[in-house]
Amino acid sequence: MRTQVNKKGLLAFCLMLASIALVAFMLQMQSKPAEEKAESVAPEAAAANVVLPVSAEELYSRAEKYSGSGDYLGALKALAEIDETWPQYPQAAALIKECEEKLLAEVSSPTTVEEYLNCEKKVNDYLEVRASPAFLERKKELVRDRDAFIAAALVIEKATDEFERGNYSAAFETLSKDERGSTDNRFLIEKLDEFHNIFVGEVVQEIEGEVQSENYREALRIVEDAIAVYDCEELQSARQQVLEAIDPLYGVYNDMRDTLSDWYEYWTEDTEEMDQLFGITW
């Protein structure tokens, strides 16, 4: 009986060992696929971090797309990566020239401080990838004009607001000097020229309409009111034309007066020279 019990115990013990061995084997088999997967993923991850070179054809294609959408800076950055030994490089060079001209136009006429700073940033961004002579020159201009532009910016903004509201006299007066008191600020001079052309053009057009309708007195009132706001050579000439239209002899009288005045000045000057020559004093 005891022998039978021992046999049963031994059998149970063997079965337990077999079960443990089976479980250990199964766990080992499950771990292998995970290790194999990790080993296969590692090279893929490493490959993903490698930046493959982009072909010249692809760079040129990108540049064309950027240029077509108006992103000339992006196009130029792509073109800067193309080696000059590429057989089709003359095409790239032509596109570089075209995009440079477009981008240069974008950074040549700022009208606000924000636009001015944006122009300067675009120039610097491009110079980081290509030392273009045209952009190096433009950078010099931006640096040279920066202070004058900033000093004029608020003055121009105020004058523009006054001009658009029809307060022309105030607009012209505002443009007489910048915030630092400068009267030779080129940005103010350019804006004054712009307002000059607009104002004179509108007044002359209005005068011509009245003259054609033979409303000469109204034309004269318009031009004289305009001169009171902004006196200039063009408006004085327009006034004379209106007066000649009112009185055809006005031009004759005016020419005769100028001739007599010139004659008087000539002979007066000549007499003074003769008196000095002979030591005559009066």
Side-chain angles (χ1 to χ4, degrees):
M1 181 64 120
R2 176 175 287 184
T3 302
Q4 188 176 5
V5 172
N6 289 337
K7 287 182 178 179
K8 289 182 178 180
L10 181 60
L11 180 60
F13 180 73
C14 290
L15 290 173
M16 182 182 68
L17 290 176
S19 299
I20 292 172
L22 180 61
V23 170
F25 177 75
M26 293 178 65
L27 289 173
Q28 185 178 5
M29 293 300 294
Q30 289 176 355
S31 66
K32 281 186 177 181
E35 292 175 358
E36 292 174 357
K37 182 178 180 181
E39 291 175 357
S40 64
V41 169
E44 293 176 0
N49 292 327
V50 175
V51 178
L52 298 176
V54 182
S55 68
E57 289 78 9
E58 175 61 23
L59 289 169
Y60 184 76
S61 177
R62 290 181 186 179
E64 285 187 314
K65 290 179 181 178
Y66 287 138
S67 175
S69 64
D71 183 6
Y72 304 112
L73 179 59
L76 287 167
K77 286 181 177 180
L79 291 166
E81 297 182 38
I82 299 177
D83 193 284
E84 294 186 11
T85 59
W86 183 45
Q88 281 76 44
Y89 189 78
Q91 296 178 3
L95 187 55
I96 287 173
K97 182 179 179 181
E98 178 184 341
C99 290
E100 278 192 348
E101 290 175 353
K102 297 285 188 180
L103 184 57
L104 199 60
E106 288 183 359
V107 299
S108 294
S109 303
T111 58
T112 65
V113 174
E114 183 180 0
E115 287 181 8
Y116 193 93
L117 296 176
N118 187 45
C119 287
E120 202 167 357
K121 182 180 183 304
K122 282 186 177 181
V123 170
N124 289 333
D125 287 346
Y126 183 47
L127 288 176
E128 287 181 3
V129 296
R130 185 181 179 86
S132 167
F135 280 81
L136 286 170
E137 182 61 28
R138 182 58 184 141
K139 180 177 175 64
K140 290 180 183 179
E141 293 173 357
L142 288 170
V143 172
R144 182 193 65 204
D145 296 337
R146 182 193 299 121
D147 293 341
F149 183 89
I150 293 174
L154 293 178
V155 177
I156 290 175
E157 183 178 351
K158 179 183 177 184
T160 300
D161 180 64
E162 292 167 340
F163 194 84
E164 290 177 349
R165 287 189 289 106
N167 194 355
Y168 304 119
S169 180
F172 290 123
E173 176 64 25
T174 299
L175 290 174
S176 62
K177 59 184 178 180
D178 67 20
E179 289 189 324
R180 296 178 299 184
S182 174
T183 58
D184 59 352
N185 188 306
R186 79 173 185 85
F187 295 101
L188 296 186
I189 294 172
E190 289 174 359
K191 181 57 67 172
L192 180 60
D193 287 342
E194 178 186 337
F195 286 175
H196 168 99
N197 293 332
I198 294 173
F199 181 73
V200 171
E202 290 179 353
V203 171
V204 169
Q205 185 176 9
E206 191 174 356
I207 292 170
E208 288 176 349
E210 297 297 340
V211 170
Q212 289 176 2
S213 300
E214 298 184 356
N215 297 325
Y216 303 118
R217 296 296 175 184
E218 180 62 16
L220 183 61
R221 183 195 65 78
I222 292 171
V223 71
E224 289 182 341
D225 287 348
I227 290 173
V229 171
Y230 180 66
D231 193 357
C232 64
E233 184 178 348
E234 291 94 325
L235 292 180
Q236 288 290 352
S237 177
R239 180 179 181 276
Q240 181 171 337
Q241 291 175 14
V242 172
L243 289 172
E244 290 176 0
I246 294 174
D247 181 3
L249 294 178
Y250 175 83
V252 176
Y253 297 147
N254 201 46
D255 291 341
M256 184 180 296
R257 183 196 62 190
D258 292 341
T259 301
L260 290 173
S261 178
D262 293 341
W263 178 85
Y264 177 78
E265 289 178 2
Y266 171 78
W267 282 104
T268 302
E269 181 181 354
D270 186 59
T271 301
E272 290 176 354
E273 290 178 355
M274 292 296 291
D275 292 343
Q276 291 175 3
L277 178 63
F278 290 102
I280 300 173
T281 59
W282 299 92

